[in-house]
Amino acid sequence: MEHLWSPWRYRYIVTPDRAEGCVLCRVQELSKEAENYVVYRGALNYVILNLFPYTSGHLMIVPYAHTASLAATDEATTAEMMALAKRAQTALEAEYHPDGFNIGMNLGRSAGAGIAEHLNLHVVPRWAGDANFVSIIGETRVLPEDLATTYEKLKKHFP
Ligand SMILES: [Zn+2]
């Protein structure tokens, strides 16, 4: 599926330090939060904007530990993932007033995981009609908001 408008994509592709290794491991080691759209750093997980959002406000909760398996992830980490998903829901409700949410994980490439080697929990706000005719017919999505704007809106909900 192609995006009609994704100006950040170019930088994402050309940034040299993302050229090798696990992207989700590399992001957590970088210090420039705003440039990498890290909204919050918890004890065991961080919260980041999805660089290719399904809808505006699409967040991911990512364990610091590099693992592909939910089953193998320790209890403290998964408990914090859920706590952060709840905070994300609260933040998104305050800023975007969605009609609903998809909150979940894609485990493995065959399940649609974009980054299969590193566990991540998606929090996607949904609106009635957001799976619009452009998406269905044209395999193309129109993104209504740039990531820097989304970042500014959500960052303040994670003090
Ligand atoms: Zn990783």
Side-chain angles (χ1 to χ4, degrees):
M1 185 171 275
E2 292 297 319
H3 295 283
L4 286 184
W5 182 67
S6 52
W8 53 86
R9 187 170 202 162
Y10 179 73
R11 192 182 63 177
Y12 180 79
I13 291 168
V14 299
T15 302
D17 61 11
R18 286 181 176 157
E20 56 186 54
C22 173
V23 170
L24 294 179
C25 281
R26 290 185 167 277
V27 165
Q28 63 185 274
E29 292 161 4
L30 300 172
S31 57
K32 293 178 180 173
E33 307 283 65
E35 283 187 18
N36 296 292
Y37 304 113
V38 173
V39 175
Y40 181 76
R41 288 177 191 262
L44 299 166
N45 299 269
Y46 66 96
V47 182
I48 187 170
L49 302 190
N50 190 303
L51 296 178
F52 307 102
Y54 186 80
T55 62
S56 290
H58 182 170
L59 292 171
M60 293 196 305
I61 297 151
V62 184
Y64 296 127
H66 180 89
T67 176
S69 173
L70 174 63
T73 301
D74 66 80
E75 190 67 29
T77 299
T78 54
E80 193 191 71
M81 286 183 91
M82 271 301 144
L84 290 172
K86 290 161 74 174
R87 286 183 70 174
Q89 180 184 357
T90 301
L92 290 164
E93 283 173 343
E95 283 296 327
Y96 292 96
H97 311 288
D99 300 319
F101 287 89
N102 292 116
I103 298 177
M105 299 178 184
N106 302 320
L107 302 181
R109 296 260 176 234
S110 61
I115 305 167
E117 66 272 23
H118 195 132
L119 199 65
N120 53 91
L121 175 62
H122 293 262
V123 180
V124 185
R126 301 299 305 268
W127 289 265
D130 66 18
N132 62 47
F133 74 96
V134 175
S135 176
I136 293 164
I137 295 172
E139 286 289 304
T140 299
R141 242 177 285 145
V142 182
L143 297 173
E145 183 177 86
D146 67 278
L147 288 178
T149 303
T150 305
Y151 183 82
E152 287 306 314
K153 284 181 179 176
L154 293 177
K155 176 74 175 166
K156 63 177 180 285
H157 293 280
F158 290 87

